[in-house]
Amino acid sequence: MAGGGGYGGASGKVDYVFKVVLIGDSAVGKSQLLARFARDEFSLDSKATIGVEFQTRTLTIEEKSVKAQIWDTAGQERYRAVTSAYYRGAVGAMLVYDITKRETFDHIPRWLEELRAHADKNIVIILIGNKSDLEDQRAIPTEDAKEFAEKEGLFFLETSALNATNVENSFNTLMMEIFNTVNKKSLSSAESNNPGSLAGKKIVIPGPGQEVPAKTSTCCSSA
Ligand SMILES: Nc1nc2c(ncn2[C@@H]2O[C@H](COP(=O)(O)OP(=O)(O)OP(=O)(O)O)[C@@H](O)[C@H]2O)c(=O)[nH]1
């Protein structure tokens, strides 16, 4: 199962390093999702990202030490880093919109197009509807996003970086699926110093109260 390695990062041997990119419009909550996952922190007066940042957290999956290296860039075009460099080597992507802002969902096909143009064709993608704590301001019905995700073959979850709902679950879903994909050897760009086959290993299913991703999969676990 995927388990936390502590927010400070585990020391010692790392079996895999998986680069994951966060994309989506400005202010959808990409940086705060990362802060919640990497440090269990949240800030309401988060500044727009300028350039690129990354943070890491080490998880244990099937007794392997797996480092998630999560990259975050600006949603605003003028602050963005060079696109091809950002996507280079990425094995997972979180495509984020804000459930209270219709245009952030309407722009998802554009982000997906950019992702598919620049990233590895086997990159694992999860669609994230963030700010689920703002239910009274919801503009995008869950069903609409779920339908879109199914059509495009993406995993899907709604999260709240503010109250931490589904944040662990989404990163774990992504990491677990990358792990499975890498072990099927269909994802070439992940770093690994021990790519031995783990076929047949047990995959842990989501715990009670956690949504199941739209895409059918053998995936996921919670920390
Ligand atoms: N209510 C609520 N607010 C959130 C949530 N996640 C982020 N925010 C707030 O939304 C604003 C934007 O969050 P960021 O994480 O900076 O957004 P971003 O997508 O990284 O923005 P860029 O860096 O411009 O691309 C901040 O005021 C956050 O505090 C959430 O889950 N719920």
Side-chain angles (χ1 to χ4, degrees):
M1 71 180 267
Y7 292 105
S11 56
K13 171 175 157 280
V14 171
D15 296 299
Y16 296 87
V17 179
F18 294 155
K19 176 178 174 179
V20 168
V21 291
L22 294 171
I23 51 174
D25 281 6
S26 183
V28 295
K30 299 180 296 297
S31 301
Q32 292 309 308
L33 284 166
L34 178 53
R36 176 63 75 195
F37 177 69
R39 305 189 304 270
D40 198 18
E41 287 175 9
F42 178 83
S43 157
L44 261 178
D45 63 352
S46 163
K47 308 264 179 318
T49 305
I50 297 176
V52 192
E53 298 166 356
F54 79 83
Q55 291 188 39
T56 63
R57 185 173 152 197
T58 302
L59 308 172
T60 304
I61 305 179
E62 299 286 3
E63 285 130 43
K64 297 284 176 188
S65 173
V66 180
K67 186 184 273 190
Q69 187 187 74
I70 320 283
W71 292 65
D72 179 24
T73 190
Q76 285 182 57
E77 194 69 48
R78 66 194 157 127
Y79 293 144
R80 294 194 68 205
V82 181
T83 308
S84 52
Y86 187 63
Y87 290 111
R88 191 171 305 132
V91 289
M94 248 185 200
L95 197 46
V96 188
Y97 68 93
D98 174 345
I99 67 151
T100 73
K101 299 250 158 36
R102 161 60 60 182
E103 70 273 17
T104 67
F105 181 69
D106 290 344
H107 292 159
I108 289 292
R110 235 147 71 185
W111 287 109
L112 200 51
E113 206 175 295
E114 178 179 294
L115 183 60
R116 287 185 170 146
H118 291 93
D120 187 295
K121 70 175 172 32
N122 291 312
I123 191 167
V124 180
I125 308 169
I126 185 166
L127 177 67
I128 297 290
N130 190 41
K131 308 197 186 181
S132 63
D133 55 287
L134 301 176
E135 185 58 42
D136 54 335
Q137 296 170 45
R138 178 187 286 276
I140 312 298
T142 305
E143 273 313 308
D144 291 9
K146 207 179 260 180
E147 206 174 289
F148 176 83
E150 271 164 19
K151 183 168 69 82
E152 296 290 341
L154 317 174
F155 292 93
F156 167 65
L157 281 169
E158 288 186 347
T159 58
S160 168
L162 184 145
N163 67 20
T165 302
N166 270 336
V167 176
E168 286 283 307
N169 192 16
S170 357
F171 280 98
N172 285 344
T173 295
L174 196 56
M175 294 299 287
M176 197 70 170
E177 191 60 22
I178 295 167
F179 184 83
N180 291 337
T181 309
V182 164
N183 281 298
K184 278 188 261 155
K185 301 214 168 48
S186 50
L187 202 50
S188 57
S189 44
E191 295 170 37
S192 161
N193 53 23
N194 184 9
S197 171
L198 295 170
K201 290 270 179 160
K202 184 167 148 266
I203 306 300
V204 180
I205 57 169
Q210 294 172 326
E211 292 176 55
V212 178
K215 186 172 164 179
T216 308
S217 159
T218 50
C219 175
C220 319
S221 75
S222 62

